[in-house]
Amino acid sequence: MLCGGERFDLARTGLARTERLNGWMFIMPALVLLGVFMIYPILWSLWMSFQVGRGMNLSFGGFANILRLTQDPVFQRALSNTFIFLIVQVPIMLVLALIFATMLNDSKLWGRSLFRTAIFLPCVTSLVAYSVLFRSLFLADGFVNDFLLGLHLISEPIPWLADPFWAKIVIIMAITWRWTGYNMIFYLAAMQNIDRSIYESAKIDGVPTWARFWYLTVPMLKPVILFTSVISTIGTLQLFDEVNNIPPNAGGPSDATLTLSLYIYNLSFRFMPSFGYAATVSYVIVILVGILSYFQFMVVRDKRR
Amino acid sequence: MPNKLNGLRTLVGAATLGASVLAMTSALAGEVTVWCWDPNFNGATMLEAAARYAADHPDFTINVVDFAKADVEQKLQAQLASGTTDGLPDIVLIEDYRAQKYLQSFPGSFEPLGGAIDTSKFAPYKVELASLNGQSYSVPFDSGVTGFFYRTDYLADAGYSEADLQDITWDQLIEIGKAVEAKTGHKLLSVDINDSGIIRIMMQSAGTWYFTEDGQVNIEGNAAFKTALGAWQRVLQSDIYKPTSGWTDYTGAFASGEVAGTITGVWITATIKANPELAGKWGVAPIPKIDFEGATHASNLGGSSWYVLASAPQKAEAIDFLKEIWASDVDFYQKILIDQGAFGTLTEARNGPAFQASDAFFSGQPVWQNFTSWLAEIPGVNYGIFTEEADTAVAAQLPVLKDGGDLDEAIKQIDAQVKQQTM
Amino acid sequence: MKNPLYLLQRALTYLVLIVASLLSVFPFFWLLVGATNTSADIIKGKADIGGALIDNILTFFERVDVPLVFWNSIYIAVTATFLTLLVSSLAGYAFEIFRSQVRERIFGGMLLMLSIPFAALMIPLFTMMGRLGLINNHLAIILPGIASIFIIFYFRQATKAFPRELRDAARIDGLKEWQIFFYIYLPVMRSTYAAATIIVFMLNWNNYLWPLIVLQTNDKKTLTLVVSSLLSGYYPDFGVIMVATIFATLPILIIFFVLQRRFVEGMLGSIK
């Protein structure tokens, strides 16, 4: 309180103007760079989204691209795949991260930092490295099938990357493998902030572990859970690297792992270039992120205040 | 905006002075830059060509840059679209299926070569693929003439000789496959079940394609296409192949000796020969024929050609180089056939010793002469500009067909998707 | 305390953590084993140590100018990390410390920009680099990332934990704002910087799509691009790819091990 009062006094003694100036000075380098390297490309793509035509033979098409969206079965496939990844993978990953974080938050646990490092390790792998890894692990004669066959868990090799259903599963496993530890760190960090005395008194009152987790930990972590789900939502809606690199034919088999971001890439660089239509699809992602994040952010904000 | 950018450019320019000086020195040397995608194959042939040219032109230097094939295509497409010619190479290798797409969507970006190079010296179908409005734009590189590559030992164990594999149909192939598995335990083919390459082979063998000559979608109602897809569905539903996914898995299956063969383009030779312990155990037969009037045993899969960028800084030198080596040097084509298994399309080269020789690796069969005669029989088709889109649509239906899906329904779906994607 | 239920729960915890750790570490183990095997063995799923390690390393060094490529990657990642941390932490700090309505709006807009897929911005960005004369120049990779919205956001969150009393005290001592930032904020927040260092270094080191488009010659390529082009071709050599992949992963692992303690603390800071 005392500090707050002092600051108030300082502000009154005429430093407010310097603050304003400093505010801009500190931000200026970033703003200039963003202006050059973000605003111009964004305006360009916005303008492009109203253009139709092949390659560089473009003409103004008004809302033709939006109309095309509604009739495009491939777009709809990409949209539904993206949502499947979002709905299935994000909760699995976040729940796992939460479970690991809860376990590792126990100061009496032996080997904490060892486990923490191990589980965090996957997210430092380079994309190319991890694509190579997953692609070869899940080959028809690859290690995973050999392992499962050896344990007699399966009787014949699973066609991991050749089958539309299993390919989705591989992608989900790959993303989960890579990003669970990353999210876990956010939870672990937030758990450090929970007042330990609440736990202690709950323990003394005989509240069981699961109830402590459900009624104490989860509500207090809600803001962070929402924060991670916003980040994961953006990440999943932009999902490109994994689906472009892990399946032998990007987005395959039979478009089972085609995502919106990959479709944009195909429209721009693999197919007869339709840069205008590609830009339109990318604004679909922006709108989806906008809507989903808006709700998520609103909840975060309410809980934190 | 331009002014601001110029200001920044000066700033940045000062900061990169060191780097620019380096760049300048390499530019002065008149180096010809080439983009291609396989250092063991097309990259190696380019280096060989450059070495030959440099013998007469001591100032000539070449810079062969290799990226993954998809990466070359992406870089080219992004760069042509950006309108920035900085950093584009002098020569680029483009797969034939994609040639028209680039020529038509980026008009003026490629240099017409018809005037400088006598294209009549090459296989006509290759030249046609890279022609637009009466101009030809490429120096043809390799052919993708197809064959049925098989293990002579496995087939012999099952009671089939070379003669038994001539003039067969796809249904007969299924029977052979069953016999081979029953007698030897090996599957007949390695098949990437999500790849539509075989459909392209079958279509071209019957002289048809996804599109008509004038570029209209030609899928629903195309009897040859239906015959091809139906034949392939029967193969997919038979048990004669090992399903694989992706290149490594696909090639691994026959490189390891697990399966008895594959049906693909002649460029697979290098991959097959990469296992020297299997020398003398391989042979090549013509591909099966689809049951359609006018269908042949000859087709094409892939193949690519060299293009010169209109913006190339070393344009004249690049064209002269292509002309002197790639469009004339018969001996060069013998060398790359032996060293890289690159099956060139310069007609005269066919009379050279390497093309005439029989190949001990392929059980002493005159494989190169066979390929040469099959090459001459390949029906010409116009790949159009949307092959990639159509392939994707076909690939999407292959798992459905494999699971016993209705052929007509699948064709309807493919047709609808292609029409939508190409409007 | 020592009732059977507790022991069971304890055992379960260890079991879960051990399985999770093994799954996380296994691919690294597999990578190391793969580097010692020939390509053919790897494709067949061989999972024990082979004798091809030296061959694979030699082939890798023969086919790729490793020191040069390694230097390119290091140069880009280090320069980009340094500049990004400087510019983006300044901005993140200022967005939190010097609040104003206009800047809040700008901040909101920046968050929306974060959701535009990069594939949609690549072509105009390339056009711009062409005009700036930066094609095939490492600066074209470094410059667009320096003002990183994600890192600005991260620093803004982290700054919430920066004690205001420190800043006020420094001002009473007559320090200027930039002095406060460099002499007070920076040392106090070093754990946040450690975390951001790992993230930014990792992002730059692993960057693929944009360098692929901008870099045109072999002598400018980064390690990540090289690993990818090894994968192409008609018969990729998986043994060599494994070796290359280890080379590509090692620097981040080292940085992570060096900074990991601070990294966890840094994340703590950002949530407070």
Side-chain angles (χ1 to χ4, degrees):
Chain A
M1 269 301 113
L2 199 79
C3 301
E6 265 176 24
R7 201 164 76 227
F8 183 63
D9 286 339
L10 278 171
R12 292 250 306 222
T13 50
L15 283 172
R17 211 178 61 88
T18 348
E19 282 230 346
R20 253 200 325 272
L21 199 67
N22 273 307
W24 289 112
M25 293 288 284
F26 277 51
I27 293 170
M28 208 38 82
L31 284 188
V32 169
L33 283 165
L34 280 176
V36 175
F37 295 112
M38 269 314 257
I39 307 286
Y40 168 70
I42 287 172
L43 291 178
W44 186 88
S45 69
L46 202 59
W47 173 77
M48 276 308 275
S49 68
F50 294 100
Q51 304 287 313
V52 290
R54 295 164 185 178
M56 284 290 102
N57 318 313
L58 293 165
S59 61
F60 185 77
F63 293 103
N65 285 325
I66 295 172
L67 189 70
R68 183 171 167 186
L69 271 185
T70 60
Q71 299 161 345
D72 182 352
V74 183
F75 166 74
Q76 282 147 21
R77 227 173 285 156
L79 187 67
S80 82
N81 288 340
T82 309
F83 267 97
I84 289 173
F85 287 132
L86 187 69
I87 291 163
V88 177
Q89 190 272 331
V90 173
I92 292 177
M93 174 178 70
L94 296 185
V95 166
L96 275 179
L98 197 53
I99 291 172
F100 294 152
T102 311
M103 288 175 167
L104 289 173
N105 193 37
D106 182 348
S107 55
K108 275 175 273 169
L109 191 81
W110 177 86
R112 266 171 98 199
S113 69
L114 203 72
F115 287 130
R116 189 174 65 204
T117 310
I119 296 174
F120 185 71
L121 211 52
C123 94
V124 307
T125 342
S126 87
L127 165 76
V128 176
Y130 117 102
S131 311
V132 174
L133 280 172
F134 270 81
R135 201 192 280 187
S136 26
L137 281 174
F138 286 96
L139 281 176
D141 307 332
F143 181 83
V144 174
N145 271 337
D146 286 357
F147 183 74
L148 294 177
L149 285 168
L151 289 182
H152 299 287
L153 285 173
I154 51 175
S155 57
E156 55 183 273
I158 296 176
W160 290 110
L161 290 164
D163 180 87
F165 172 78
W166 290 111
K168 273 203 184 74
I169 302 281
V170 172
I171 296 293
I172 288 172
M173 287 195 286
I175 312 172
T176 308
W177 179 76
R178 195 172 185 207
W179 298 109
T180 301
Y182 181 81
N183 286 290
M184 176 191 79
I185 295 293
F186 284 105
Y187 295 147
L188 259 181
M191 284 174 179
Q192 310 286 322
N193 292 348
I194 300 175
D195 191 348
R196 301 218 158 254
S197 59
I198 302 176
Y199 276 106
E200 293 308 323
S201 52
K203 239 180 187 173
I204 292 163
D205 291 346
V207 180
T209 317
W210 66 268
R212 287 204 300 270
F213 174 74
W214 194 249
Y215 293 110
L216 288 175
T217 313
V218 171
M220 281 197 260
L221 287 185
K222 224 169 195 171
V224 194
I225 294 172
L226 283 159
F227 169 71
T228 51
S229 58
V230 169
I231 300 241
S232 307
T233 303
I234 295 183
T236 312
L237 285 176
Q238 293 192 1
L239 185 64
F240 170 78
D241 290 340
E242 281 82 358
V243 292
N244 187 48
N245 290 288
I246 295 176
N249 357 5
S254 117
D255 288 347
T257 59
L258 182 78
T259 59
L260 289 175
S261 238
L262 181 58
Y263 190 43
I264 293 167
Y265 178 88
N266 285 348
L267 286 169
S268 308
F269 301 115
R270 280 207 179 102
F271 295 165
M272 164 62 84
S274 323
F275 299 112
Y277 187 48
T280 308
V281 179
S282 57
Y283 279 95
V284 171
I285 297 186
V286 175
I287 290 166
L288 288 175
V289 170
I291 295 170
L292 291 170
S293 310
Y294 177 76
F295 287 115
Q296 290 164 322
F297 264 109
M298 286 317 282
V299 188
V300 176
R301 207 170 280 171
D302 287 344
K303 290 283 169 184
R304 290 185 74 168
R305 285 282 147 85
Chain B
M1 205 65 192
N3 283 333
K4 273 186 197 161
L5 285 177
N6 283 338
L8 192 63
R9 182 174 190 159
T10 326
L11 240 169
V12 168
T16 55
L17 200 66
S20 313
V21 170
L22 279 175
M24 293 252 300
T25 47
S26 66
L28 281 175
E31 191 174 62
V32 170
T33 306
V34 182
W35 285 358
C36 52
W37 59 74
D38 189 339
N40 294 320
F41 185 58
N42 42 52
T45 61
M46 204 30 147
L47 286 176
E48 169 64 26
R52 283 165 182 261
Y53 187 73
D56 298 337
H57 304 78
D59 292 341
F60 180 77
T61 49
I62 196 163
N63 181 12
V64 178
V65 191
D66 52 271
F67 296 93
K69 174 165 161 288
D71 289 353
V72 172
E73 287 160 6
Q74 188 198 345
K75 282 175 75 69
L76 191 65
Q77 203 150 323
Q79 227 167 310
L80 292 177
S82 76
T84 309
T85 54
D86 262 20
L88 278 172
D90 298 284
I91 300 172
V92 63
L93 186 68
I94 296 177
E95 193 179 18
D96 293 341
Y97 293 131
R98 288 166 183 73
Q100 288 294 328
K101 177 178 86 172
Y102 288 114
L103 293 175
Q104 292 186 28
S105 44
F106 302 107
S109 296
F110 297 93
E111 184 71 11
L113 299 175
I117 283 155
D118 182 3
T119 49
S120 67
K121 292 160 88 175
F122 291 94
Y125 91 100
K126 287 285 286 188
V127 178
E128 242 171 77
L129 291 173
S131 297
L132 180 65
N133 304 329
Q135 274 286 3
S136 73
Y137 287 86
S138 81
V139 174
F141 171 46
D142 67 327
S143 162
V145 56
T146 50
F148 169 32
F149 294 79
Y150 64 95
R151 288 287 296 272
T152 45
D153 49 346
Y154 294 170
L155 271 283
D157 288 346
Y160 293 99
S161 69
E162 192 185 340
D164 298 325
L165 300 176
Q166 310 297 316
D167 196 28
I168 58 169
T169 65
W170 287 88
D171 291 318
Q172 283 170 303
L173 186 79
I174 295 175
E175 293 314 311
I176 294 172
K178 284 179 183 160
V180 168
E181 190 173 16
K183 301 235 174 69
T184 70
H186 292 284
K187 300 276 188 199
L188 183 64
L189 299 174
S190 170
V191 170
D192 187 338
I193 52 171
N194 293 296
D195 184 45
S196 47
I198 295 269
I199 306 297
R200 290 198 297 269
I201 294 177
M202 289 175 165
M203 276 193 296
Q204 188 160 5
S205 76
T208 189
W209 200 247
Y210 300 126
F211 310 98
T212 59
E213 277 300 310
D214 58 348
Q216 297 303 308
V217 175
N218 182 26
I219 293 173
E220 209 171 3
N222 179 344
F225 177 74
K226 186 178 173 180
T227 311
L229 202 59
W232 188 239
Q233 184 180 22
R234 288 195 294 281
V235 174
L236 283 178
Q237 290 188 299
S238 76
D239 204 23
I240 64 159
Y241 64 95
K242 175 186 155 72
T244 59
S245 57
W247 180 254
T248 310
D249 202 15
Y250 160 74
T251 55
F254 55 78
S256 66
E258 190 185 345
V259 304
T262 185
I263 292 172
T264 190
V266 60
W267 35 259
I268 200 75
T269 307
T271 311
I272 289 177
K273 285 189 173 179
N275 299 280
E277 71 276 10
L278 297 176
K281 294 181 179 168
W282 280 92
V284 190
I287 61 165
K289 189 161 80 172
I290 65 168
D291 192 9
F292 188 79
E293 178 77 37
T296 65
H297 291 286
S299 188
N300 179 72
L301 182 69
S304 49
S305 302
W306 304 105
Y307 293 75
V308 175
L309 274 301
S311 63
Q314 311 295 334
K315 192 154 67 181
E317 201 175 8
I319 293 173
D320 190 61
F321 160 62
L322 288 175
K323 184 182 166 187
E324 281 207 17
I325 306 298
W326 288 94
S328 346
D329 191 338
V330 170
D331 187 50
F332 164 69
Y333 279 96
Q334 313 304 312
K335 174 103 171 121
I336 62 172
L337 179 66
I338 294 167
D339 290 355
Q340 278 84 35
F343 197 83
T345 47
L346 187 74
T347 320
E348 293 168 56
R350 307 292 155 67
N351 305 320
F355 280 84
Q356 295 293 321
S358 58
D359 193 320
F361 191 94
F362 289 108
S363 317
Q365 295 176 358
V367 284
W368 307 117
Q369 286 176 57
N370 289 343
F371 276 122
T372 304
S373 55
W374 298 334
L375 180 74
E377 292 164 25
I378 299 175
V381 294
N382 179 3
Y383 293 144
I385 54 177
F386 290 114
T387 290
E388 187 95 29
E389 282 86 339
D391 271 348
T392 311
V394 171
Q397 295 300 323
L398 289 179
V400 179
L401 289 170
K402 180 174 175 281
D403 293 340
D406 182 58
L407 185 60
D408 287 314
E409 179 56 28
I411 291 172
K412 223 172 104 185
Q413 295 281 339
I414 295 167
D415 190 78
Q417 178 167 334
V418 174
K419 279 189 176 134
Q420 199 286 327
Q421 292 276 294
T422 58
M423 63 181 203
Chain C
M1 239 6 218
K2 296 279 185 287
N3 63 50
L5 199 70
Y6 172 81
L7 288 176
L8 184 75
Q9 192 191 323
R10 211 66 190 154
L12 202 70
T13 302
Y14 279 112
L15 185 72
V16 169
L17 287 176
I18 288 169
V19 169
S21 300
L22 285 180
L23 283 177
S24 297
V25 177
F26 171 76
F28 286 92
F29 165 77
W30 186 81
L31 191 64
L32 290 173
V33 171
T36 69
N37 280 312
T38 60
S39 194
D41 283 339
I42 294 167
I43 293 166
K44 285 174 203 144
K46 183 166 178 268
D48 49 347
I49 304 220
L53 177 65
I54 306 289
D55 272 356
N56 288 338
I57 294 177
L58 289 179
T59 316
F60 177 49
F61 275 78
E62 192 181 297
R63 278 170 63 177
V64 177
D65 185 349
V66 181
L68 179 73
V69 168
F70 211 77
W71 164 249
N72 287 342
S73 279
I74 292 272
Y75 167 76
I76 291 173
V78 170
T79 316
T81 306
F82 175 74
L83 292 174
T84 307
L85 286 189
L86 183 68
V87 169
S88 300
S89 71
L90 262 176
Y93 169 80
F95 272 119
E96 183 61 24
I97 298 285
F98 313 110
R99 296 208 183 191
S100 84
Q101 278 252 287
V102 189
R103 284 192 290 269
E104 287 301 307
R105 294 256 164 79
I106 294 177
F107 189 76
M110 278 167 43
L111 287 183
L112 257 189
M113 289 183 201
L114 196 58
S115 62
I116 302 176
F118 183 68
L121 305 178
M122 222 153 60
I123 290 169
L125 209 52
F126 191 90
T127 313
M128 201 153 76
M129 290 304 166
R131 283 193 208 138
L132 291 171
L134 289 180
I135 306 298
N136 203 26
N137 189 318
H138 290 155
L139 274 180
I141 300 171
I142 296 167
L143 284 176
I146 293 176
S148 155
I149 296 169
F150 177 62
I151 296 300
I152 293 173
F153 188 26
Y154 175 67
F155 269 95
R156 179 175 187 168
Q157 296 301 103
T159 307
K160 289 183 198 290
F162 176 65
R164 291 221 165 217
E165 310 86 76
L166 273 179
R167 183 166 160 264
D168 294 335
R171 280 163 72 160
I172 290 166
D173 288 348
L175 265 69
K176 297 207 171 63
E177 288 297 341
W178 65 269
Q179 289 172 316
I180 296 175
F181 180 82
F182 284 105
Y183 300 140
I184 312 286
Y185 178 82
L186 220 142
V188 169
M189 304 298 283
R190 51 184 191 277
S191 55
T192 305
Y193 278 92
T197 303
I198 295 176
I199 292 177
V200 178
F201 187 89
M202 200 167 98
L203 291 176
N204 278 287
W205 185 267
N206 292 338
N207 199 357
Y208 176 69
L209 209 55
W210 180 236
L212 168 69
I213 301 293
V214 169
L215 299 180
Q216 317 285 21
T217 54
N218 284 334
D219 59 323
K220 296 280 182 189
K221 278 190 190 173
T222 62
L223 201 51
T224 310
L225 289 184
V226 166
V227 175
S228 159
S229 55
L230 285 177
L231 258 179
S232 71
Y234 289 120
Y235 39 104
D237 186 330
F238 272 94
V240 174
I241 289 166
M242 296 290 167
V243 169
T245 308
I246 290 174
F247 269 85
T249 313
L250 221 51
I252 316 177
L253 274 184
I254 291 170
I255 289 192
F256 179 74
F257 279 124
V258 171
L259 295 177
Q260 76 132 331
R261 236 175 53 94
R262 293 205 183 283
F263 184 39
V264 179
E265 288 166 10
M267 286 293 192
L268 292 181
S270 76
I271 306 293
K272 271 181 195 156

